[in-house]
Amino acid sequence: MRRPTPDAERRHAAVLAAVVLLQAVAVLFFVGDAASDILRDGPGPETLFEGFIAIALSSGVVAGGWQLRRALETQRAQARALDVARGALAEVIEAQFSRWGLTPAERDVALFALKGLDVAEIAELRGAAAGTVRAQMARVYAKSGVSGRAQFAALFVEDLLG
């Protein structure tokens, strides 16, 4: 099952908030109307019915408020987890690069490769020849003990998930 995007989560929370607000206004209307009827005519079947509706709507306000609170807590937790994951991945990458003893040029090339850039794009960004970038990537692969880009990227995913 696909997880909702942060935008979808925000829209969901906004819709819940609007429904809760609408229900709260309806509760106030029915309670006010029932109180007015009681003061004017005394309790009757219509007043009891309006009271029942007010109680049902109040339950809806409570349930909607609870759902809204849960949605907002989930949204905040997901944002915190994403921030932690971003920071953790950066720390994992830096630690591995240090363990492998990558040179500054190799670090740059390796980071660009992890970001998904191909040899030509990396060469253009670094102002280097494609052959130079390929040689640097070969040294990065050798130092990291892998044979290609997919294995190289998988090292970091494994560390992050482990």
Side-chain angles (χ1 to χ4, degrees):
M1 187 171 153
R2 222 176 93 207
R3 289 199 84 129
T5 64
D7 286 340
E9 290 284 339
R10 279 191 285 279
R11 282 192 301 276
H12 178 76
V15 168
L16 277 175
V19 169
V20 169
L21 180 64
L22 184 62
Q23 287 177 324
V25 169
V27 167
L28 291 175
F29 171 79
F30 280 109
V31 167
D33 190 43
S36 171
D37 289 349
I38 289 173
L39 291 174
R40 188 181 63 241
D41 303 326
E46 181 183 330
T47 307
L48 291 175
F49 183 68
E50 287 174 350
F52 173 76
I53 291 174
I55 290 169
L57 282 171
S58 297
S59 299
V61 169
V62 169
W66 179 72
Q67 284 291 326
L68 179 59
R69 185 178 63 80
R70 282 188 58 210
L72 292 173
E73 285 173 0
T74 299
Q75 190 177 8
R76 281 191 291 271
Q78 288 173 343
R80 282 191 306 271
L82 186 56
D83 289 343
V84 167
R86 284 181 181 141
L89 182 57
E91 289 172 13
V92 166
I93 290 169
E94 185 55 40
Q96 284 288 30
F97 286 2
S98 294
R99 270 194 294 274
W100 296 330
L102 298 184
T103 67
E106 291 168 346
R107 285 173 183 260
D108 287 347
V109 169
L111 193 56
F112 285 137
L114 285 173
K115 289 181 178 183
L117 279 66
D118 64 25
V119 170
E121 292 169 323
I122 296 170
E124 184 179 330
L125 283 171
R126 299 204 69 245
T132 303
V133 171
R134 274 194 278 288
Q136 289 168 328
M137 282 306 303
R139 286 193 303 275
V140 168
Y141 297 154
K143 289 179 178 181
S144 63
V146 298
S147 61
R149 187 181 293 240
Q151 288 178 332
F152 181 66
L155 288 173
F156 297 99
V157 173
E158 288 173 15
D159 283 350
L160 189 60
L161 294 177

